Amino acid sequence: MGRKNGSIIGKNNVGAGVTYNASGIWGLNNVQEFNNDSNPLQSAIKLRVMCQAGGGGGGGSRTNEIRGGGGGGGGQVEGFFLMPPTNEIYVEVGSGGPGGSNYTPGARGGQSNVGPWPQNSQLFRAEGGGGGYGYNGYSPTYSGQGGSGGGANGTGGPSARKGRYGQGFPGGDGSGYPDSGSARGGGGGGAGGMAELTAPPTAGGDGGAGKASDITGSSVIRGGGGGGSSYNTPTYPGTTGLGGPGGGGNGALASIPSGRDGTDGTDGLGGGGGGAGTAPQTPGTGSGTGGTGGSGCVIVRFPSSISASYSSPLTAPQGTQTVSGSPTERYIEFRSGQGPVTFS
């Protein structure tokens, strides 16, 4: 007759949580192992993923000596998950936020995410970097952003708006006041470090550093904050704010008689755009547009024994690559778009 544990007649099945049962008896652990082995892609394959969000746009500059802050670097997350039963995952790559014009702030960068498909497609989600401040038209308060945008001169800086915990850091304050020869824009926060706390009297604030990942086998820094804007004239000499390591764009260095645009963040690295600048001369010497934030990326690393397929609008310019120092593993770096990726 049968026993209550469902086994054939014999010793009691010791059940789940124990590695071995009596000979000829399957325990719950054994059944789970059997199901996994029947389709090795379902549970035996572990995927390593990294999401880098898009950087925020730099703040715009206005003719009456308003100088924009740098955009925040996009947030970054990394981790592992098991191959889902569908053998499919979903990938979305965040774009960079446009820079602001005149005195408007830069826009927030787009989020990047990846996860099992069709459920939990946002298991790992990186938040876009915040836009750099413009004068009084300050960057909106985003909940859950990556690096925080930098402050424009004459405004309260973004120090009260922290970057998302674990993904980004605060931007720095601008210095001076509107219509002032000492005014400079603050730098944007990075995925790995905060911006220069306050822009110096003679320079734009530097952006915060990005965050390093070795998912490809080589260490790459991504998500640097954009630099704040400044100007350089014989009366008021100065230097621009530098973008943070990891793709942050430099702030503008304006001079009479025109305003200057900020430098774009680097695509694929999710760097913040640099702030726009204008030279000190009332009623003004032209306006500028903040740099556009760099687009992000999603990298998926997997054993070389399997292959991956995908279609437009997902793009991976370099295709499938071998992991440096690990010939038994490969990776794909997606640079834009969204859609499913199928493994076989």
Side-chain angles (χ1 to χ4, degrees):
M1 63 179 179
R3 300 176 68 97
K4 61 183 180 181
N5 59 15
S7 71
I8 60 174
I9 297 175
K11 297 181 181 179
N12 282 328
N13 188 337
V14 295
V18 180
T19 304
Y20 299 104
N21 291 291
S23 177
I25 300 175
W26 282 0
L28 299 182
N29 290 339
N30 303 123
V31 173
Q32 180 64 46
E33 289 170 4
F34 175 81
N35 288 338
N36 291 347
D37 291 342
S38 66
N39 183 350
L41 288 179
Q42 286 192 12
S43 295
I45 300 298
K46 182 182 289 186
L47 302 177
R48 180 179 173 183
V49 297
M50 191 282 294
C51 294
Q52 173 62 55
S61 67
R62 194 176 178 182
T63 56
N64 57 338
E65 299 182 334
I66 303 305
R67 299 174 186 95
Q76 183 184 130
V77 294
E78 188 169 350
F80 298 84
F81 62 88
L82 295 179
M83 181 74 72
T86 59
N87 298 338
E88 281 190 323
I89 65 173
Y90 191 83
V91 169
E92 181 177 0
V93 181
S95 58
S101 59
N102 205 349
Y103 58 85
T104 58
R108 182 184 182 181
Q111 73 177 34
S112 291
N113 53 265
V114 63
W117 179 253
Q119 297 179 334
N120 300 322
S121 63
Q122 295 188 13
L123 179 64
F124 290 93
R125 186 177 72 183
E127 303 291 349
Y133 275 48
Y135 175 61
N136 286 342
Y138 57 85
S139 191
T141 301
Y142 300 121
S143 59
Q145 64 188 10
S148 174
N153 60 281
T155 71
S159 55
R161 293 196 301 104
K162 307 297 184 183
R164 182 177 176 86
Y165 179 77
Q167 291 196 21
F169 288 78
D173 290 339
S175 64
Y177 297 94
D179 303 315
S180 164
S182 63
R184 266 77 173 182
M194 64 184 298
E196 191 171 13
L197 188 60
T198 302
T202 58
D206 292 340
K211 186 176 181 180
S213 170
D214 65 353
I215 189 170
T216 65
S218 301
S219 182
V220 178
I221 300 174
R222 302 176 178 87
S229 61
S230 185
Y231 53 86
N232 182 44
T233 70
T235 305
Y236 301 106
T239 56
T240 189
L242 299 178
N250 293 336
L253 183 64
S255 60
I256 296 172
S258 64
R260 294 288 177 86
D261 297 339
T263 303
D264 294 343
T266 303
D267 285 339
L269 298 183
T278 187
Q281 178 176 312
T282 303
T285 57
S287 60
T289 301
T292 299
S295 61
C297 68
V298 173
I299 300 176
V300 182
R301 177 168 164 171
F302 53 92
S304 57
S305 57
I306 62 176
S307 60
S309 60
Y310 54 91
S311 60
S312 178
L314 271 178
T315 67
Q318 296 180 328
T320 302
Q321 300 286 305
T322 300
V323 173
S324 177
S326 182
T328 61
E329 293 182 283
R330 297 190 291 177
Y331 72 90
I332 301 178
E333 182 173 345
F334 296 99
R335 287 294 190 91
S336 64
Q338 65 283 321
V341 179
T342 304
F343 294 89
S344 59

